[in-house]
């Protein structure tokens, strides 16, 4: 399983947060980015985190994850995925791609998805909520890396997903679909805890 890398996407602009950085919002005194990097590292899998630059304030919150600066971060999620894929070691057999604005994802969720990996010829694995709603993370076998290295814009890897056999893997509750992009979403989520 150690041939699976986790790629955390943390190079976005938090454009809908009205001047706040959603990844530095605190949960129980810890920035969200620190929490997710820690949970990813706890899997024992190699972890990489895409950030806007080596000097960005978020770098201080990445813990022991390998930092990957994304020079064209303003382009959107595709730039982070392309840059992250290019930085992975040649021995990597699969990558689990994970946006960093998802506070409910736990170490156990990431391990659960990883245990479903069926090798180079197996399907792409996509996490869902307990009711089957598709979400994140998504685990791509190495055969998808060339296609992931060519994507553009802010649509992420949707086109690559459409071209592959995808197996859905349910995670507890809303873990795979809770993402917090706006101050209102943060307030609503915090009120429900």
């Amino acid at each position: 399983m150690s041939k699976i890398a986790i790629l955390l996407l943390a190079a976005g602009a938090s454009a809908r947060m009205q001047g706040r950085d959603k990844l530095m919002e605190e949960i129980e005194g810890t920035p969200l980015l620190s929490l997710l990097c820690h949970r990813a590292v706890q899997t024992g899998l190699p972890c990489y985190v895409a950030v806007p630059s080596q000097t960005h304030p978020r770098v201080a919150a990445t813990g022991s994850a390998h930092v990957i600066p994304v020079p064209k971060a303003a382009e959107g999620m595709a730039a982070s995925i392309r840059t992250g894929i290019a930085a992975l070691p040649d021995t990597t057999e699969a990558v689990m791609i994970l946006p960093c604005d998802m506070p409910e994802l736990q170490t156990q969720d990431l391990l659960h998805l990883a245990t479903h990996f069926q090798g180079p010829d197996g399907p792409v694995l996509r996490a869902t909520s307990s009711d089957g709603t598709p979400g994140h993370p998504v685990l791509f076998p190495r055969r998808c890396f060339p296609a992931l290295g060519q994507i553009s814009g802010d649509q992420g890897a949707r086109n690559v997903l459409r071209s592959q056999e995808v197996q859905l893997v349910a995670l507890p509750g809303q873990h795979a679909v809770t993402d917090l992009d706006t101050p209102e979403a943060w307030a609503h989520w915090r009120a429900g805890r």
Side-chain angles (χ1 to χ4, degrees):
M1 205 163 71
S2 63
K3 302 285 188 176
I4 299 171
I6 298 177
L7 175 60
L8 299 118
L9 305 180
S14 288
R16 296 164 59 199
M17 281 294 289
Q18 299 169 14
R20 289 158 49 188
D21 185 343
K22 65 183 175 182
L23 301 185
M24 300 305 284
E25 288 285 314
E26 292 198 351
I27 299 172
E28 295 167 12
T30 304
L32 173 58
L33 180 56
S34 292
L35 208 57
L36 278 178
C37 285
H38 177 74
R39 290 172 183 170
V41 166
Q42 290 296 107
T43 63
L45 300 173
C47 295
Y48 301 82
V49 57
V51 296
S53 71
Q54 195 71 51
T55 57
H56 196 278
R58 289 178 188 163
V59 172
T62 59
S64 60
H66 303 280
V67 171
I68 302 171
V70 181
K72 297 181 179 176
E75 178 194 322
M77 195 183 296
S80 295
I81 294 173
R82 283 196 319 266
T83 307
I85 292 294
L88 296 177
D90 292 341
T91 53
T92 306
E93 293 179 0
V95 63
M96 184 185 304
I97 298 179
L98 165 62
C100 282
D101 58 356
M102 304 190 69
E104 295 191 2
L105 282 172
Q106 305 294 321
T107 300
Q108 197 53 47
D109 298 330
L110 307 182
L111 287 169
H112 180 67
L113 189 66
T115 60
H116 284 76
F117 179 55
Q118 297 166 37
D121 300 321
V124 170
L125 303 175
R126 183 167 193 182
T128 73
S129 62
S130 57
D131 68 4
T133 305
H136 293 93
V138 180
L139 192 152
F140 293 93
R142 184 170 191 86
R143 69 170 185 277
C144 299
F145 289 13
L148 290 169
Q150 299 296 315
I151 62 176
S152 61
D154 203 27
Q155 295 299 304
R158 286 186 190 146
N159 288 337
V160 179
L161 268 176
R162 283 192 204 102
S163 70
Q164 296 290 324
E165 177 193 352
V166 177
Q167 177 182 327
L168 302 178
V169 178
L171 300 181
Q174 299 293 299
H175 291 195
V177 295
T178 299
D179 63 343
L180 305 178
D181 289 325
T182 64
E184 295 76 18
W186 272 97
H188 179 75
W189 182 76
R190 284 178 168 135
R193 295 188 78 209

